[in-house]
Amino acid sequence: MNQTKYIFVTGGVTSSLGKGIIAASLAKLLQARGYRTTIQKFDPYINVDPGTLNPYEHGECYVTDDGAETDLDLGHYERFLNVPTSQANNVTTGRVYLSVIEKERRGEFLGKTVQVVPHITNEIKERMQLLGKSGDFDIVITEIGGTVGDIESLPYIESVRQLIWELGENNGIVIHLTLVPYLAAAGELKTKPTQHSVKTLMESGIKADILVCRTEHEISQDLRQKLALFCNVKKEAVIQSIDASTIYEVPNLMLEEGLDRVALKKLDLPEKNTPDLNNWNEFLYSLKNPKHEVNIGLVGKYVELQDSYKSILEAFIHAGAANETKVNVISIHSEFLDAKSAESQLKDLDGILVAPGFGGRGIEGKIDTVRYARENNIPFFGICLGMQMAVIEYSRNVLGYADANSTEMNESTAHPVINLMEEQKNIENKGGTMRLGAWKCSIKENTLAHKIYGKTEIMERHRHRYEFNGSYLNELEKAGLVASGVNPDTKLVEIVEIPTHPFFIGVQYHPEYKSTVANPHPLFVNFVAAAVQHKNK
């Protein structure tokens, strides 16, 4: 195959319809047919990356192997495709403008007036084709963030229009995801919002090739005919996307609707073979037919918005299926938890995870949670800040350093068991400056970490500024908190555990970013298994 083919996914009527899930599901089907497929996300906000966004604003910030702080949709792409994404898979308006302004400052435009068209649109088109020009992919799917008609999306829509024209026939298509709402009072589905959305798209010079219609009720053949006629698409290209009990059902639903077949036909590509979804469906079967059930407490400070811990919640789904266990994640706000209320809030849990986060709010609640899990032999798993809280708790309550803390919370603590990394001390800019991306970790043999991973060298993704203070290592190890994983180059402690506890482990990195349907993360798999064991006792 010579030329890379491009699929653009736009959204209409309302946001949060699931463009990322539709893009990932289509990519999964194309991949299962033997096409090398990747997905990228173009986001219309001015932030250069989502790393400086509050999790309440935008959900979690997802991190790639190469250290890009990206939109959480990239997590869906990796979980579905089991292929790592990179810096190139997520582009924001801020990054586009920054690049164009830097070129202008270097004199690359030779005194020309720099404008949205052609300079911004050229930059966008260049980035849209970056992965396609690498030679690694047959098909590149590009998800355009936001909704058609948004002011901030206009440069992207114009770039798509130009690019489809430049690529030539059958080399680029547009899938428009829209909503067909059900009006209970009238007792019927309404197509008018979709018609208006398609009209808005056409006013920008783009014709939708495929319509994917989100709906709560089945769309009848008559309604499909109506949508096809008024939205100027073939009837076979009107695809129903009905609400599913889990996002992992969507690839099968799209296969039934023929989304991949219609897309391949429009791109003038052979269907090759029937998609091989055997492993995927085995996972789905285990997910839907659990033999056990556990309650795991997720103790964090952004629990009001589920998307703040998206990758953790998905990793529990993968690990649950691997253990044939239904994992009920109970969200507990660390700000409203203390030593007195710990017993009542935590006593019925089969496992406790203390979540990542930044800043001092809700910290004492996390420390009280760790203590409760440690003293009551409840399976415990701490991630990033959760691991740091475990170190502080142990220092306070076992070593006896009552004021032990992180310098992030208390700069003048007499016992800074967690402190700012050396290379972070002179940094002023907050964006993209943490320790990011995949780093090595050497694991000690005959430890829980070694049993879980089954090897002594791993690579895991990081996102933090503060670290375990190595000058306290000997004291803590003598007192029974073992550093079982260390970075071989920087000597930073990556994993701590308590060998005398049934299951107690804290990691400085973010294992949730690497958990996929095909490869559930071993830490989550073993944690869920420990929770099942604890419950059965």
Side-chain angles (χ1 to χ4, degrees):
M1 189 173 143
N2 307 329
Q3 183 164 3
T4 303
K5 306 275 187 169
Y6 293 86
I7 298 173
F8 300 95
V9 181
T10 59
V13 183
T14 174
S15 57
S16 303
L17 289 181
K19 288 193 298 290
I21 302 299
I22 290 297
S25 298
L26 175 57
K28 180 77 212 164
L29 296 177
L30 295 171
Q31 184 193 54
R33 283 188 184 272
Y35 286 102
R36 298 172 305 157
T37 310
T38 189
I39 322 174
Q40 53 190 4
K41 172 88 184 271
F42 279 65
D43 260 317
Y45 48 76
I46 309 285
N47 303 64
V48 172
D49 57 51
T52 52
L53 285 172
N54 185 323
Y56 286 134
E57 289 259 333
H58 206 74
E60 76 171 9
C61 172
Y62 187 78
V63 178
T64 60
D65 279 339
D66 66 350
E69 292 179 289
T70 72
D71 182 79
L72 59 80
D73 273 322
L74 268 74
H76 290 311
Y77 306 164
E78 289 201 13
R79 288 188 278 274
F80 275 58
L81 294 179
N82 201 36
V83 175
T85 53
S86 72
Q87 199 90 31
N89 291 74
N90 191 202
V91 177
T92 66
T93 295
R95 188 160 286 177
V96 170
Y97 273 83
L98 188 65
S99 174
V100 170
I101 289 166
E102 283 170 350
K103 285 178 182 175
E104 186 270 336
R105 296 284 79 191
R106 289 196 299 268
E108 287 187 26
F109 301 125
L110 297 171
K112 280 194 164 61
T113 306
V114 180
Q115 295 175 286
V116 174
V117 181
H119 301 97
I120 298 297
T121 50
N122 283 348
E123 182 76 22
I124 292 170
K125 286 188 293 184
E126 215 171 280
R127 287 167 181 260
M128 282 176 171
Q129 295 175 90
L130 205 57
L131 290 165
K133 286 176 176 170
S134 68
D136 296 334
F137 303 104
D138 305 317
I139 300 169
V140 176
I141 300 176
T142 304
E143 180 194 342
I144 306 292
T147 311
V148 167
D150 295 349
I151 289 173
E152 57 261 38
S153 296
L154 286 173
Y156 290 117
I157 298 297
E158 171 58 17
S159 301
V160 170
R161 184 195 70 75
Q162 290 182 21
L163 193 51
I164 285 178
W165 183 84
E166 288 166 15
L167 290 167
E169 212 163 339
N170 306 120
N171 291 322
I173 62 168
V174 172
I175 296 175
H176 191 54
L177 177 64
T178 168
L179 178 69
V180 179
Y182 179 78
L183 288 189
E188 60 183 356
L189 290 165
K190 289 294 183 187
T191 65
K192 196 61 79 181
T194 295
Q195 291 178 48
H196 281 302
S197 180
V198 169
K199 185 182 170 203
T200 305
L201 194 60
M202 290 184 84
E203 282 169 358
S204 304
I206 294 177
K207 177 190 175 299
D209 296 285
I210 300 172
L211 270 188
V212 177
C213 304
R214 272 304 298 272
T215 176
E216 294 171 12
H217 300 268
E218 295 282 337
I219 298 175
S220 67
Q221 291 303 320
D222 287 350
L223 222 53
R224 287 182 193 238
Q225 184 63 44
K226 183 179 177 184
L227 281 163
L229 179 64
F230 291 115
C231 297
N232 207 17
V233 297
K234 287 197 165 74
K235 189 180 172 188
E236 66 185 45
V238 178
I239 305 290
Q240 168 184 286
S241 175
I242 201 156
D243 291 357
S245 62
T246 163
I247 58 170
Y248 298 108
E249 276 179 358
V250 180
N252 282 320
L253 294 174
M254 292 302 102
L255 181 64
E256 282 168 30
E257 286 286 311
L259 175 60
D260 54 327
R261 286 202 319 275
V262 177
L264 288 171
K265 190 173 167 187
K266 297 253 176 215
L267 291 169
D268 197 24
L269 290 172
E271 284 186 22
K272 288 192 178 182
N273 41 28
T274 312
D276 176 9
L277 293 175
N278 287 339
N279 293 346
W280 187 270
N281 289 328
E282 278 172 24
F283 155 78
L284 261 182
Y285 181 82
S286 299
L287 182 64
K288 290 181 168 184
N289 299 281
K291 293 177 182 168
H292 317 279
E293 187 169 346
V294 292
N295 294 330
I296 289 181
L298 172 65
V299 180
K301 56 190 200 178
Y302 310 117
V303 294
E304 296 93 335
L305 182 70
Q306 289 287 296
D307 277 358
S308 302
Y309 301 115
K310 192 67 185 164
S311 292
I312 290 175
L313 297 176
E314 298 305 319
F316 274 129
I317 291 172
H318 309 153
N323 283 288
E324 297 179 298
T325 299
K326 183 181 184 204
V327 179
N328 301 315
V329 179
I330 317 291
S331 295
I332 299 168
H333 206 306
S334 60
E335 210 175 349
F336 309 122
L337 201 151
D338 55 32
K340 285 179 190 162
S341 68
E343 170 81 25
S344 62
Q345 290 200 58
L346 306 173
K347 69 177 190 315
D348 296 327
L349 299 173
D350 307 307
I352 294 170
L353 183 144
V354 174
F358 294 91
R361 187 170 60 88
I363 287 308
E364 294 302 321
K366 289 187 173 185
I367 293 168
D368 290 328
T369 300
V370 178
R371 181 173 191 168
Y372 186 84
R374 179 177 62 79
E375 292 180 346
N376 292 280
N377 285 334
I378 297 170
F380 169 82
F381 184 13
I383 296 178
C384 197
L385 185 69
M387 173 266 208
Q388 297 177 359
M389 295 302 104
V391 173
I392 293 170
E393 189 280 326
Y394 210 84
S395 304
R396 285 184 186 180
N397 300 316
V398 179
L399 280 185
Y401 295 147
D403 68 337
N405 214 327
S406 164
T407 53
E408 182 182 7
M409 322 309 165
N410 177 5
E411 282 186 18
S412 55
T413 173
H415 294 287
V417 291
I418 304 293
N419 64 1
L420 194 58
M421 295 185 199
E422 272 310 312
E423 68 267 25
Q424 291 284 332
K425 287 184 176 166
N426 300 316
I427 285 174
E428 288 178 12
N429 290 348
K430 290 279 183 269
T433 54
M434 282 185 263
R435 182 176 185 222
L436 293 164
W439 292 72
K440 278 185 198 153
C441 173
S442 299
I443 297 178
K444 283 185 192 164
E445 291 187 12
N446 305 316
T447 58
L448 175 61
H450 186 250
K451 182 181 151 218
I452 288 170
Y453 279 99
K455 48 189 176 184
T456 53
E457 285 289 326
I458 57 166
M459 291 279 281
E460 291 281 6
R461 298 179 192 178
H462 292 69
R463 185 173 185 252
H464 66 109
R465 283 184 207 283
Y466 291 81
E467 57 157 316
F468 182 109
N469 184 344
S471 53
Y472 287 90
L473 182 57
N474 288 341
E475 276 182 272
L476 282 162
E477 291 215 299
K478 273 182 195 159
L481 184 74
V482 173
S484 54
V486 175
N487 180 290
D489 306 317
T490 62
K491 302 296 178 244
L492 290 186
V493 171
E494 300 275 10
I495 310 173
V496 296
E497 57 183 73
I498 302 175
T500 54
H501 190 283
F503 188 101
F504 189 105
I505 195 160
V507 297
Q508 181 58 73
Y509 47 82
H510 289 261
E512 69 273 22
Y513 291 148
K514 288 184 80 168
S515 187
T516 69
V517 169
N519 285 314
H521 198 287
L523 275 166
F524 281 88
V525 173
N526 282 270
F527 177 52
V528 171
V532 172
Q533 209 175 349
H534 177 78
K535 183 180 182 175
N536 292 340
K537 269 184 186 170

